[in-house]
Amino acid sequence: MKPTTLDEAMALTQKFTTRPSNEELLKLYGLYKQATEGDNEGERPGGFDFKAAAKYMAWLNYKGKSKEEATQAYLELVNELSAKYM
């Protein structure tokens, strides 16, 4: 089943039988945040919070992409990953 909404796509990721790579997970995170909240305007996490910094940078990669474009890219990525991990 090909997802057509963010909610459907998120539900589909929960059915993956294998965990995607960290790189793939960060792409999913960045696209989802861009699709739901728009450009990342927050401050970069400091110190040794590497996970938060990686997520911040993943979201920042999509700065300037419209919510509609980010949604479409997210749906395409989930569809691609579902073929690989289900």
Side-chain angles (χ1 to χ4, degrees):
M1 179 186 94
K2 192 172 183 177
T4 58
T5 66
L6 284 175
D7 288 340
E8 287 177 10
M10 278 195 61
L12 188 58
T13 63
Q14 300 302 312
K15 296 178 183 176
F16 289 177
T17 55
T18 307
R19 187 177 186 273
S21 71
N22 286 340
E23 183 179 327
E24 291 165 332
L25 290 170
L26 286 170
K27 280 184 184 178
L28 285 170
Y29 176 83
L31 283 168
Y32 182 82
K33 292 295 275 186
Q34 189 69 23
T36 57
E37 297 184 32
D39 287 346
N40 183 348
E41 302 294 344
E43 287 189 29
R44 186 180 194 283
F48 292 97
D49 194 348
F50 299 116
K51 185 176 180 179
K55 289 169 93 173
Y56 176 88
M57 293 307 293
W59 183 6
L60 201 60
N61 284 336
Y62 299 104
K63 187 172 185 149
K65 191 179 276 282
S66 73
K67 288 183 177 186
E68 293 76 20
E69 290 172 320
T71 298
Q72 189 57 43
Y74 181 82
L75 294 175
E76 289 170 8
L77 180 58
V78 169
N79 193 47
E80 176 186 317
L81 294 177
S82 69
K84 192 173 175 181
Y85 296 111
M86 285 186 71

